[in-house]
Amino acid sequence: MTAARGWGAASNLLCVRLDTIGDVLMTTPALRALREAVPRRRVTLLTSSAGAAAAPLLDSVDDTIVYDAPWLKASPARPDPGADLAMVELLRARRFDASVIFTVYSQSPLPAALICHLAGVRLRAAHCREKAYGLLTDRVPEPEPEQLIRHEVRRQLDLAAAVGATARDERMSVAIPPGARAQAARLLARAGVGERGWIAVHPGATAPSRRYPPEAYAAAVRGLVERGLGVVLTGTPDEVPLVEGIRAEAGSTTVSLAGLLDLPLLAAVMARAPLLLTNNTGPAHIAAAVGTPVVDLYALTNPQHTPWMVPARVLSHDVECRWCYSSVCPLGHHDCLRLVSPTRVVEAVLDLLRETSASVAPAAHG
């Protein structure tokens, strides 16, 4: 079923992306395409509490509504539907013309489509495996994973294109507040970090299956310092013990900004870094959005989240259990990351720095 002809008149658009920071960032090219497709179109993002942390960086979103949907695993259980009924009424009051529901391939868009339907949103588009009947006006057939596997950015661009919004620029983007840029410059200057000769290292990740072992990080950091590089480690407040443990085991002079950076400030630090070494996690996508090269220690949990349109090295050890889509290694060995040697990491960092040292193209909207 399609109602594509009506999308050109949809000036008050709701975009639904109920996942986390990295997923929201990987949707930025599609959000920008949707906003630019219709003159004076207003875009509101409906996202989770975690995803809303990216809101200050979204240059194609006019407003953000926070909703922790009960059909997503990260949402805490609640005893009654009061919050969901209240969300229907809030969306009804905002009088949206249309909604685009962004999901990963394993999610059903139909619960979100029902919310939008009950809120009176006339046009509703999503990738959908099931027969949606009246819940979606624009059902885009779901080809994954049986027919193809797409990068998450490409998946969302394809959905936007299905309702008439083709991207002129497919790069990810963020808008870093000037105050964050200035504060990052001061922090790095106080730490004695110049424009060259250093890298950022973000060793944490929400999912245990995506974390390179701390002792291996320590060995890689030690090797990088021995090769003359400065190392600036970042992390969330919860990751401060991880960062301090790596620094202690590395036995080298490093700088820690762990626990000191909100998301805009982290993006500003990433924008100044010549390179980021990290896991498959949100900061890898922040770096891609600001045009910073990435060495990505990439757990083989899923193939859709590699660094998008930036110089990169993606490191993993091939295993038969690849693409497990698990937050915790189901076999307990973690070989897809554990068997990546620190020496290989150091070589990848140095190789990518040599490749990109002459000039690194800035992100279009960074």
Side-chain angles (χ1 to χ4, degrees):
M1 183 183 299
T2 179
R5 285 193 297 267
W7 286 85
S11 60
N12 188 17
L13 179 65
L14 178 68
C15 291
V16 181
R17 185 81 221 228
L18 296 170
D19 303 288
T20 58
I21 291 171
D23 300 293
V24 170
L25 292 172
M26 287 186 283
T27 311
T28 55
L31 294 172
R32 188 168 61 250
L34 286 162
R35 184 170 185 177
E36 294 175 353
V38 175
R40 296 181 295 281
R41 171 176 273 174
R42 181 177 177 82
V43 174
T44 297
L45 177 67
L46 179 67
T47 190
S48 66
S49 298
L57 300 174
L58 300 180
D59 52 0
S60 297
V61 171
D62 299 287
D63 195 12
T64 302
I65 299 172
V66 177
Y67 178 49
D68 291 313
W71 55 89
L72 295 185
K73 67 178 180 180
S75 298
R78 44 185 180 252
D80 61 65
D84 311 299
L85 296 174
M87 182 53 60
V88 170
E89 292 308 312
L90 187 153
L91 297 180
R92 182 186 297 277
R94 297 289 292 270
R95 302 178 66 85
F96 292 106
D97 303 314
S99 59
V100 180
I101 301 165
F102 295 105
T103 60
V104 299
Y105 86 82
S106 59
Q107 294 171 342
S108 171
L110 296 185
L114 178 59
I115 293 281
C116 293
H117 170 64
L118 295 174
V121 183
R122 183 173 60 87
L123 298 175
R124 302 172 299 280
H127 283 111
C128 190
R129 182 170 289 103
E130 306 94 333
K131 292 187 180 297
Y133 301 106
L135 284 184
L136 292 173
T137 59
D138 293 75
R139 174 184 174 272
V140 180
E142 177 59 83
E144 297 186 66
E146 294 82 7
Q147 298 174 36
L148 55 83
I149 296 290
R150 293 172 286 188
H151 194 284
E152 184 69 13
V153 175
R154 174 61 57 202
R155 172 183 174 80
Q156 310 313 342
L157 283 168
D158 288 350
L159 179 57
V163 294
T166 302
R168 293 180 297 170
D169 183 349
E170 294 188 343
R171 286 176 290 182
M172 295 164 58
S173 64
V174 294
I176 304 173
R181 289 187 183 274
Q183 188 177 354
R186 290 193 296 270
L187 276 173
L188 293 169
R190 284 200 295 268
V193 175
E195 291 298 321
R196 298 283 178 181
W198 67 283
I199 68 165
V201 177
H202 189 98
T206 302
S209 61
R210 297 185 181 186
R211 298 176 195 154
Y212 190 54
E215 63 276 12
Y217 258 119
V221 167
R222 184 166 54 249
L224 290 166
V225 173
E226 289 172 353
R227 302 294 286 271
L229 280 177
V231 172
V232 175
L233 290 110
T234 62
T236 66
D238 290 344
E239 291 166 348
V240 170
L242 168 67
V243 168
E244 291 307 315
I246 289 170
R247 295 179 74 207
E249 188 168 347
S252 303
T253 302
T254 59
V255 173
S256 174
L257 298 179
L260 302 179
L261 311 178
D262 60 14
L263 205 64
L265 190 50
L266 177 64
V269 168
M270 295 303 171
R272 296 182 71 90
L275 181 145
L276 171 66
L277 168 64
T278 190
N279 307 305
N280 174 19
T281 187
H285 304 303
I286 293 173
V290 299
T292 295
V294 181
V295 172
D296 195 338
L297 289 153
Y298 196 86
L300 299 182
T301 56
N302 68 299
Q304 297 100 334
H305 295 169
T306 52
W308 178 257
M309 295 185 71
V310 290
R313 297 290 184 273
V314 179
L315 305 182
S316 60
H317 180 82
D318 197 19
V319 289
E320 291 184 358
C321 53
R322 74 185 75 82
W323 317 142
C324 65
Y325 291 89
S326 296
S327 296
V328 177
C329 177
L331 299 181
H333 54 60
H334 208 217
D335 282 353
C336 62
L337 283 182
R338 187 179 61 83
L339 295 181
V340 177
S341 72
T343 299
R344 186 178 167 199
V345 175
V346 171
E347 291 172 350
V349 168
L350 296 176
D351 182 57
L352 187 55
L353 282 173
R354 282 191 293 267
E355 178 183 303
T356 58
S357 60
S359 110
V360 176
H365 302 272

